[in-house]
Amino acid sequence: MNASALLIAGSFVAIWASAFTVAGVVVKEWPPLWSLAIRFSLTVPLLAVLALVLRARLPRPGDMGRVAVLGLCGMGGYLAFAWLAMARIPTGLVALICATTPLMVAAGESLFLRRPLPRLAWVGLAIGWSGVALLGFLRALDGLAAAEALGFVFAIGAAISQAVGLLVYAPAKGRVDIWMASFGQTLVSALLCLALALALEGGPPGPASAPTWAAMIWSMVVVGIGAYALNFAMMRRVPASTATALQLLAPPLAAVFGWALLGERLYVSDIVGGVLTLGGLALLVHARSRG
């Protein structure tokens, strides 16, 4: 990679990791679902203007449903589960569990789309899942509180939801304009989170403090739009296998951000389980890049 590609990739990983940290700031003051409903509702007009300025093409009628499922599961459902989890367990731990999405996508492609996986990829899947199992088991031995256990369930639900959205959207990926896909899935996510917030969290939250609004703006603009643009630029300049491998740096970086900025603590068991999980993911990426 040249210097500019390395800068783009490094910026994307840092911003992607920061998404969990700023979410952790917001959910300390506002309910998670209302936070997301507000974030998505404020982001939709920005993306609409961006799509118009860039003259983004409307998806084909057959692809609109896939974009809707991407918003329902790949963004709205994923972030709803993830933010509910971050209200209960450390943000770095949520980032690590959510990073297992590629494991679920690979398994789904093999089981439902009948795409064969290399033998080494199955080894990576086994190691990665053993890391997640170890995370939950060792935390349980330490005395898993009910709220913390629910946080684990929500984090795993986030990874599953995102995997479903990606699998359904995959056939349309090369056909749908990237900014129109972003606008469409954000609109669906806003409607989903608003409905869930009204049903599960009651009325909207009161005024927020300056740090919460700063975190919300960072989440909307830098993460929701900036990271999307950087990812697009990175995929054009960096080989897909390298880009995927670089994204494995986001969970440990999110854990560092959580420790430094939010005062979160990760246990030795979390680190051991995390190393196994990320090791399995790295092996899976390596095996798939070799074909």
Side-chain angles (χ1 to χ4, degrees):
M1 281 193 298
N2 57 35
S4 63
L6 186 62
L7 178 62
I8 290 171
S11 299
F12 170 78
V13 170
I15 291 173
W16 197 248
S18 75
F20 295 90
T21 310
V22 295
V25 173
V26 175
V27 298
K28 287 183 182 298
E29 186 170 358
W30 270 358
L33 296 175
W34 268 113
S35 300
L36 282 171
I38 293 169
R39 174 196 156 175
F40 287 137
S41 297
L42 294 175
T43 306
V44 165
L46 297 177
L47 288 171
V49 171
L50 197 55
L52 286 172
V53 169
L54 297 176
R55 298 181 180 178
R57 304 179 308 275
L58 284 171
R60 300 175 184 176
D63 290 335
M64 287 185 178
R66 295 187 183 276
V67 173
V69 174
L70 182 63
L72 193 66
C73 300
M75 177 180 278
Y78 159 63
L79 287 178
F81 278 124
W83 283 43
L84 285 166
M86 284 185 281
R88 293 164 172 83
I89 59 178
T91 58
L93 197 54
V94 176
L96 176 61
I97 296 173
C98 288
T100 61
T101 293
L103 296 177
M104 298 180 185
V105 170
E109 288 177 342
S110 177
L111 296 174
F112 301 111
L113 302 182
R114 304 300 180 187
R115 294 176 183 170
L117 283 176
R119 190 173 302 173
L120 191 61
W122 283 108
V123 175
L125 282 173
I127 294 173
W129 282 118
S130 68
V132 175
L134 185 64
L135 277 170
F137 176 71
L138 293 179
R139 280 267 179 159
L141 288 181
D142 287 334
L144 201 64
E148 191 176 355
L150 191 57
F152 265 88
V153 172
F154 282 143
I156 293 173
I160 293 173
S161 183
Q162 187 178 42
V164 170
L166 292 174
L167 285 168
V168 172
Y169 178 70
K173 186 177 180 181
R175 299 191 297 263
V176 180
D177 183 277
I178 187 170
W179 292 111
M180 189 55 68
S182 180
F183 168 73
Q185 67 175 331
T186 304
L187 177 61
V188 172
S189 298
L191 296 173
L192 171 67
C193 290
L194 181 60
L196 290 175
L198 287 168
L200 301 177
E201 295 177 344
S209 64
T212 295
W213 271 116
M216 182 70 81
I217 292 170
W218 180 278
S219 181
M220 287 169 44
V221 179
V222 180
V223 177
I225 297 176
Y228 210 79
L230 281 172
N231 186 47
F232 183 56
M234 181 175 69
M235 295 306 294
R236 289 189 301 177
R237 295 172 178 236
V238 178
S241 58
T242 303
T244 305
L246 284 170
Q247 291 180 35
L248 297 179
L249 297 174
L253 190 56
V256 171
F257 287 163
W259 167 76
L261 301 175
L262 302 178
E264 293 178 345
R265 177 187 173 191
L266 291 177
Y267 297 92
V268 173
S269 59
D270 297 332
I271 297 172
V272 173
V275 168
L276 272 177
T277 302
L278 294 178
L281 281 166
L283 192 59
L284 171 65
V285 170
H286 175 68
R288 298 188 76 179
S289 68
R290 291 176 58 186

